[in-house]
Amino acid sequence: MKKTSIILLISLLFISFCQPVFAASEKININEATKSELVVLKYVGDKIADRIIDYRKAHPFEKSEDIMKVKGIGLKIFDANKDLIIVKD
């Protein structure tokens, strides 16, 4: 019984730390987001966040799908984040 309780506690702690930092209603503007805001997106780490920032300097995003023009971002990453990103307020 004690072992089960410990496993349950560890599982709950793990789940609570893996939740997104932002509320579900908040959207990330990929034309203005900071690197720390971009890395909150699923499958977006430091390198891809840097690529997004570099890309948008020369080519501001007109629609959220344009994020797939960034090297390393394909349909999988877009689909995982399409409800979280916007390009305008």
Side-chain angles (χ1 to χ4, degrees):
M1 184 70 116
K2 187 175 181 180
K3 186 176 182 180
T4 304
S5 297
I6 292 172
I7 292 172
L8 180 61
L9 178 62
I10 291 171
S11 298
L12 289 172
L13 287 172
F14 178 76
I15 290 169
S16 67
F17 283 111
C18 292
Q19 295 300 314
V21 177
F22 54 91
S25 64
E26 293 181 36
K27 303 279 185 167
I28 295 176
N29 184 330
I30 56 175
N31 277 323
E32 298 177 359
T34 64
K35 184 175 180 177
S36 61
E37 292 170 326
L38 291 169
V39 298
V40 171
L41 297 171
K42 289 184 178 182
Y43 310 115
V44 175
D46 289 336
K47 289 181 182 180
I48 291 182
D50 287 337
R51 289 182 194 155
I52 292 170
I53 292 167
D54 290 341
Y55 182 90
R56 74 182 185 203
K57 287 177 185 174
H59 313 281
F61 299 108
E62 294 181 16
K63 54 188 178 191
S64 58
E65 292 86 355
D66 289 346
I67 199 168
M68 289 188 285
K69 295 178 181 178
V70 176
K71 182 180 177 185
I73 299 181
L75 190 56
K76 176 184 174 183
I77 294 175
F78 174 71
D79 280 343
N81 295 293
K82 66 183 174 186
D83 296 330
L84 304 174
I85 60 175
I86 59 171
V87 294
K88 297 177 183 159
D89 293 328

